[in-house]
Amino acid sequence: MCGIVGLFLKDKALEPKLGAMLSEMLVSLSDRGPDSAGIAIYGTATGNEAKITVQSPKPDRDFRGLDAELAKAIGAPVSVAVKSTHAVIRTTPDKVDTAREALQSLRPDIRIMGAGEAVEIYKEVGLPEAVVDRFDVRSMTGTHGIGHTRMATESAVTTMGAHPFSTGADQCLVHNGSLSNHNNVRRELVRDGMTFETENDTEVAAAYLSNRMAHGKNLGEALEGTLSDLDGFFTFVVGTKNGFGVVRDPIACKPAVMAETDQYVAFGSEYRALTKLPGIDNARVWEPEPATVYFWEH
């Protein structure tokens, strides 16, 4: 079943409240997915710093001394901010790929949740409220974000199987539905150089978008491509460094509702996810059309 939410802020005055607002939206949909939950928060990119969000099953062991070891390995400054089983590694943008490679040898049990100049991704097994509390998401600031609470159907209940999935810099995706041709699409993407960490069909959707954008498509064009290249029932909500997109399959049997005001654009699997947003009583509220791409960008 799954529950997905998204919030794109137009009003900078709301940015200190992004984590709290998005958390409230996600927690309201807890009964749609009891297995795992996750949130991606986008901040303002500065151009001189990049972030890698990582997860470890043994954070006390893997995060201890990581900043000094990684800095030595890549020859650049590194800071590590630990949040429970996750940590945000900060370094210079030109060292991100080198840092990812170094992490594989320095800490082979660490898993990368996402990387880029703006995004941080936190996800774990458990209900949304437990995940939100574990990572103190309510205190986070930012410009936009997406979230997901999962009822597993296509793969095991694990941290890596939780959403959002990130397969490109500052790109991530959450999904409600099931893809029927994901194995064929995965094989095509592997032949084109994409790599995968799970058997989850949502990771294939995320990689499809990253691959299309790497080949010169913008997000809108990549989302349009899902309508012809991906089979099954799906609602996708996507985040990029500056943008926020939504698309539903041509049948659109998965529930979805959107709201827009002068302050924000919001998405929820059900209207109850939107009810506590400021000004919702005066918002334009609608059900996104089937086979239609919606996209906003800062």
Side-chain angles (χ1 to χ4, degrees):
M1 188 162 62
C2 299
I4 52 180
V5 296
L7 186 60
F8 177 87
L9 300 180
K10 302 177 184 179
D11 184 356
K12 285 186 172 296
L14 289 178
E15 291 181 8
K17 301 178 182 178
L18 176 69
M21 294 166 70
L22 197 61
S23 296
E24 185 69 37
M25 294 169 70
L26 189 61
V27 169
S28 73
L29 299 180
S30 295
D31 60 346
R32 293 190 63 87
D35 300 327
S36 57
I39 280 183
I41 298 284
Y42 285 85
T44 302
T46 64
N48 57 15
E49 180 183 77
K51 299 182 283 188
I52 306 171
T53 311
V54 298
Q55 185 268 357
S56 170
K58 296 182 178 180
D60 290 341
R61 177 199 66 189
D62 284 338
F63 297 152
R64 187 184 305 116
L66 180 60
D67 50 355
E69 291 180 51
L70 189 57
K72 181 179 179 181
I74 69 173
V78 169
S79 69
V80 177
V82 177
K83 287 193 174 184
S84 185
T85 58
H86 288 44
V88 178
I89 300 169
R90 288 175 166 83
T91 188
T92 55
D94 61 311
K95 293 293 185 178
V96 169
D97 291 340
T98 306
R100 293 179 70 131
E101 293 175 6
L103 282 168
Q104 292 179 353
S105 59
L106 292 173
R107 299 290 193 276
D109 289 336
I110 275 182
R111 294 293 177 264
I112 295 175
M113 302 290 100
E117 295 184 27
V119 72
E120 297 178 18
I121 297 175
Y122 301 90
K123 59 183 186 179
E124 272 295 359
V125 173
L127 288 168
E129 187 147 24
V131 173
V132 162
D133 289 344
R134 168 178 272 188
F135 301 115
D136 194 23
V137 176
R138 290 184 178 90
S139 70
M140 295 182 188
T141 66
T143 57
H144 56 296
I146 63 178
H148 185 273
T149 183
R150 183 179 183 226
M151 180 176 287
T153 57
E154 294 293 332
S155 59
V157 179
T158 64
T159 301
M160 293 305 294
H163 304 206
F165 279 92
S166 179
T167 53
D170 284 314
Q171 298 171 21
C172 67
L173 176 146
V174 293
H175 169 210
N176 182 20
S178 180
L179 302 181
S180 57
N181 68 333
H182 60 96
N183 287 324
N184 289 337
V185 175
R186 181 186 283 107
R187 283 192 289 269
E188 293 173 5
L189 292 172
V190 168
R191 284 195 292 268
D192 203 29
M194 299 297 293
T195 59
F196 293 86
E197 296 197 54
T198 75
E199 295 300 315
N200 194 294
D201 60 337
T202 303
E203 187 180 12
V204 174
Y208 172 88
L209 294 178
S210 297
N211 180 265
R212 294 300 89 199
M213 294 171 73
H215 283 280
K217 303 291 187 183
N218 62 34
L219 177 59
E221 292 167 336
L223 287 170
E224 287 281 358
T226 66
L227 299 170
S228 57
D229 293 342
L230 301 183
D231 293 335
F233 302 113
F234 58 82
T235 297
F236 297 139
V237 177
V238 179
T240 67
K241 184 194 298 186
N242 300 314
F244 167 78
V246 173
V247 67
R248 303 171 81 195
D249 69 82
I251 297 175
C253 65
K254 296 299 181 181
V257 61
M258 299 194 72
E260 184 170 14
T261 72
D262 291 339
Q263 293 184 295
Y264 59 80
V265 180
F267 175 95
S269 291
E270 298 180 36
Y271 179 72
R272 58 180 158 143
L274 313 180
T275 57
K276 294 187 179 180
L277 292 174
I280 190 64
D281 291 341
N282 298 313
R284 180 173 77 92
V285 178
W286 77 99
E287 180 181 349
E289 294 290 333
T292 301
V293 172
Y294 298 84
F295 182 62
W296 291 262
E297 194 168 33
H298 286 121

